[in-house]
Amino acid sequence: MSESSRAAGRPDIWPQARPLRLGTGKVGIVVSHGFTGSVQSIRPWAEALAAPGDGYAGARVLAPRLPGHGTSWQDLARTRWWDWYGAVEDAYLQLSQECARVFVAGLSMGGALALLLAQRHTPAGVLLVNPAIATTDRRIPVASLLHKVLPPQAGIASDIAKEGVEELGYPRFSVTSLATMTDLWKVTRRGLGDVHAPVLLLRSTQDHVVDGATAKVLTKRIRGLEQVPLTRSFHVATLDHDADLIAETSRRFVTRHA
C-alpha cells in the first residue's frame, strides 16, 4: 500500500482496474464491468468500441471503476448498489456533455446498471453481455436476508473457457455485497417497462455464473430485444473466445443506432 493510501486509510487500486477514457469519436459509450471484477474484464470491449475501422467511425468511451472494486473485498462490502450506479451515471452525464448520442454497455452486473440507467435517461442504445438481474438459485434470496450473519463466500471471477486467460477479481466477497446487488436487480426489474432504447443481448450458451432467468425476463419485458448467442465462451465472454464477435456485433449495433 502506498504512503498516501495508508495516510488516508484507503486500499490501493489495482493498476488494471483504473478507469479508462478512450477514443475521440462523436458518439459516446459508457462501459461497465461487473460484480467483484474490474475494468480489466471489459478493456478489450472498450478498446474495440473506441477504435475506428471497417466502416465504423469509432466512439468516445468511458469505463468507470465501480466503487469498492479493484481494491479489496472488504472495501466492496462498505459500498452499496447506488454507489456503483452513481459511477455509471456520472460517466454517462459526462459523455452527454461531449456527444450528441451516448450508449451504455455492461457485463454481468454492469448490465443491470446499464438497464437501470436506460430507465432514468435516454441513451441511444443498451449493449449487454451476460447481464444479471434475476436468478433461479433459491439460495441467493435466503443468503441476502441473512447477509449480516453469514461468512464471506468464495469468489466468482474467471469463468472463462479460453485457456491461459484470467479475470482479475476478488477471491471472496461479503454476503452484504451480494444482498445489495440483489436489491439492484429488484429495482432494475421493476422499471424494465421504461426502457425504450434498443437493446442488444449477447449471451453465452454456457455460463456458470448467471443462469437463464435474466434472459427470460428480458425477452418478456423488452420489446424488439436483439439477441446474439455466444457459443464458445463462458460468463466473462469479453475476455473469452467470443471477444471478437462481441466487438464486431457491438460496433454494428452502435453504427446502426447512432
Side-chain angles (χ1 to χ4, degrees), residues 168-235:
L168 295 180
Y170 294 145
R172 61 183 63 86
F173 60 87
S174 166
V175 183
T176 296
S177 299
L178 175 69
T180 194
M181 180 175 68
T182 59
D183 288 342
L184 167 65
W185 292 358
K186 294 173 188 175
V187 172
T188 302
R189 288 198 304 269
R190 283 200 300 265
L192 285 176
D194 295 324
V195 177
H196 303 296
V199 179
L200 171 66
L201 172 61
L202 299 125
R203 179 171 173 251
S204 295
T205 53
Q206 187 173 180
D207 187 328
H208 305 100
V209 176
V210 173
D211 59 37
T214 291
K216 288 181 180 179
V217 171
L218 294 180
T219 300
K220 183 177 181 180
R221 301 283 304 278
I222 301 291
R223 292 183 179 181
L225 179 69
E226 181 180 341
Q227 299 192 54
V228 176
L230 306 174
T231 59
R232 302 188 304 143
S233 301
F234 295 162
H235 182 64

Side-chain angles (χ1 to χ4, degrees), residues 54-73:
D54 299 325
Y56 175 71
R60 196 170 302 195
V61 176
L62 282 181
R65 179 185 70 88
L66 303 182
H69 291 78
T71 52
S72 70
W73 67 268

